Amino acid sequence: APPSNWQSVFGGPAWSWDARRKQYYMHNFLREQPQLNVGLGAVQDALLDVARFWLERGVDGFRLDAINFAIHNPELTDNPPSGAPMETVTRPFDMQRHVHNQSQPAIPAFLERIRAVMDEYGAVFSVAEVGGPAPLDEMKAFTAGTRRLHSAYSFDFLYADTLTPEGVRAALSNWSDAPGEGWPSWAFSNHDAPRAVSRWAGGHGTEQVSKLLLLLLLSLRGNPFVYQGEELGLPQSAVAFEHLKDPEALANWPHTLGRDGARTPFPWATQAASAGFSSSAETWLPMDTGHAAHAVDRQAQHPSSCLNVTRALLAIRNAAPALRCGTLEFLKTPETVLAYIRQVEGEQVLCAFNLGDEAASWEPASPWAQSGELIASQDGPAAGPLPRSLPARAGYWAKLGPGE
């Protein structure tokens, strides 16, 4: 029989039989992805040699996918049942608490070995992906101090159906800048989740909401991850069943939408075949016909396009130390308004957003109300005094005027 009751993320047992070896082998994901036994020092040595191969070629760092799966319990102890209600279950994986096939106490020591090798080469960035229902403790453990990974990116926003000030405050408050605490990273969209603008548009135009989301993402305390297509305001694609490639979508259809809708080709040119992504008329996933209108060549010609607003906001952020590395202090606001001050020595930036569906009256206290000056809005660079109300799905960044 299989060595344990462990289940694969993509459905079915985490063990497959190999007839040639007459043994079972483990795979937390696809059966085509055998699990390396990273608990063994010799395997770690081999992986570090692979890291050196790339570091010698000048890479700046690594993203470690699903790193909490790296090491398993060598006793291969059965996982206990999760007790999850059956109406919430889409796969056998959800029926267990994953206390033995992942999240083992030996993982941080392995991460310290990775960081030590990176430091030999001056590599500047490593980020952990840590999934699961309650990943925060592991994210902090994997990034604590200066000997482990530089950052871990959060899932707080990736599967959220709505974007609210309360949700943003809760996510950001988990990282308090306590001594020894790691540095967070934030993503609203990625290759594993439906695109944020489609989840959060709420009947508003996708271009308007896309710009607001970029304004918000680029002002959070931590590293912003902009997923391919976010800078164009791409909405989620609808991929027909016959074109699906995602193994999770195929295994669980129609209960989960899968991930292919966020993975369709990137549109470069409005009139070109496959929107300039490929010279072939047929691509791995079909080009969304609606995405051609968002193509880079079209947006590059318009200063107010989502692409050029993204470029402008990034330039403002790069020139403002408070937005890159400052502290974050939330302000008291009405229910639909989110506002905070990013501050570093010698500089403050006020960030305010109306995430609601109607205009909201709000202005900050002094000295901001008297001397605050706009530097950016969801439409790009801005100037002038601070508004006393915010339109629906709108926001701004501001600095204090001279002498304040």
Side-chain angles (χ1 to χ4, degrees):
S4 73
N5 70 347
W6 299 348
Q7 296 294 307
S8 163
V9 170
F10 292 140
W15 300 97
S16 288
W17 175 254
D18 183 88
R20 291 170 294 277
R21 296 175 64 102
K22 300 190 186 307
Q23 286 181 314
Y24 287 93
Y25 69 91
M26 180 187 169
H27 51 91
N28 278 311
F29 298 92
L30 295 175
R31 62 182 301 161
E32 292 86 357
Q33 297 173 295
Q35 182 79 15
L36 297 179
N37 191 356
V38 182
L40 294 179
V43 175
Q44 293 186 14
D45 292 343
L47 289 171
L48 295 177
D49 284 343
V50 173
R52 290 187 177 94
F53 175 91
W54 292 107
L55 290 164
E56 288 172 1
R57 282 153 181 79
V59 301
D60 291 320
F62 302 102
R63 173 190 182 273
L64 291 103
D65 187 85
I67 190 61
N68 51 330
F69 284 87
I71 296 176
H72 59 270
N73 182 342
E75 300 299 322
L76 308 181
T77 306
D78 281 355
N79 280 329
S82 66
M86 285 306 295
E87 59 267 21
T88 68
V89 168
T90 61
R91 55 195 176 173
F93 184 81
D94 300 325
M95 301 180 192
Q96 295 182 351
R97 292 174 50 227
H98 303 286
V99 295
H100 296 297
N101 66 310
Q102 65 179 76
S103 304
Q104 298 300 292
I107 294 176
F110 173 51
L111 301 182
E112 290 180 4
R113 296 194 68 192
I114 295 174
R115 178 64 181 271
V117 170
M118 291 182 63
D119 288 347
E120 291 175 17
Y121 291 84
V124 295
F125 189 61
S126 55
V127 60
E129 183 211 32
V130 186
L136 183 62
D137 288 345
E138 284 188 291
M139 293 166 66
K140 291 190 173 185
F142 294 170
T143 58
T146 59
R147 298 174 54 198
R148 298 177 184 176
L149 303 185
H150 295 89
S151 188
Y153 79 80
S154 172
F155 282 72
D156 288 315
F157 300 112
L158 287 174
Y159 299 104
D161 293 328
T162 59
L163 178 67
T164 65
E166 180 183 16
V168 176
R169 283 191 289 266
L172 272 290
S173 296
N174 286 327
W175 297 85
S176 61
D177 199 20
E181 183 179 83
W183 182 251
S185 292
W186 306 103
F188 289 169
S189 299
N190 78 354
H191 62 291
D192 285 332
R195 291 187 178 275
V197 66
S198 294
R199 286 183 281 127
W200 296 340
H204 298 268
T206 57
E207 182 175 357
Q208 174 193 356
V209 175
S210 293
K211 293 175 180 177
L212 174 67
L213 296 182
L214 287 161
L215 188 74
L216 173 60
L217 177 64
L218 297 177
S219 70
L220 298 178
R221 179 184 171 272
N223 298 313
F225 285 8
V226 178
Y227 180 56
Q228 63 93 4
E230 272 186 292
E231 73 276 37
L232 302 182
L234 293 188
Q236 180 80 353
S237 295
V239 181
F241 176 80
E242 59 268 25
H243 296 304
L244 292 177
K245 304 293 186 183
D246 179 13
E248 186 172 22
L250 292 168
N252 297 318
W253 192 89
H255 298 293
T256 58
L257 294 176
R259 301 170 294 179
D260 289 331
R263 300 178 175 187
T264 53
F266 186 90
W268 290 97
T270 307
Q271 301 297 329
S274 298
F277 179 82
S278 170
S279 59
S280 172
E282 184 175 349
T283 49
W284 173 250
L285 288 170
M287 172 66 68
D288 189 308
T289 55
H291 282 185
H294 299 267
V296 171
D297 66 343
R298 174 176 291 186
Q299 294 204 32
Q301 302 174 31
H302 301 286
S304 63
S305 70
C306 193
L307 174 61
N308 282 320
V309 167
T310 303
R311 291 169 170 165
L313 293 178
L314 284 168
I316 295 170
R317 181 183 186 274
N318 288 339
L323 288 174
R324 296 198 316 273
C325 55
T327 60
L328 185 147
E329 178 187 358
F330 288 107
L331 303 179
K332 187 176 181 180
T333 58
E335 182 179 0
T336 64
V337 175
L338 171 72
Y340 44 81
I341 293 175
R342 300 293 312 279
Q343 180 172 341
V344 74
E345 185 176 353
E347 181 181 73
Q348 295 184 61
V349 176
L350 169 64
C351 306
F353 313 89
N354 179 9
L355 304 183
D357 294 324
E358 298 178 358
S361 296
W362 178 80
E363 61 177 335
S366 297
W368 290 97
Q370 286 74 33
S371 303
E373 296 181 354
L374 296 176
I375 59 172
S377 74
Q378 73 279 355
D379 296 319
L386 305 191
R388 294 188 175 184
S389 67
L390 283 167
R393 307 299 177 98
Y396 63 77
W397 299 342
K399 287 187 177 181
L400 288 172
E404 294 293 338

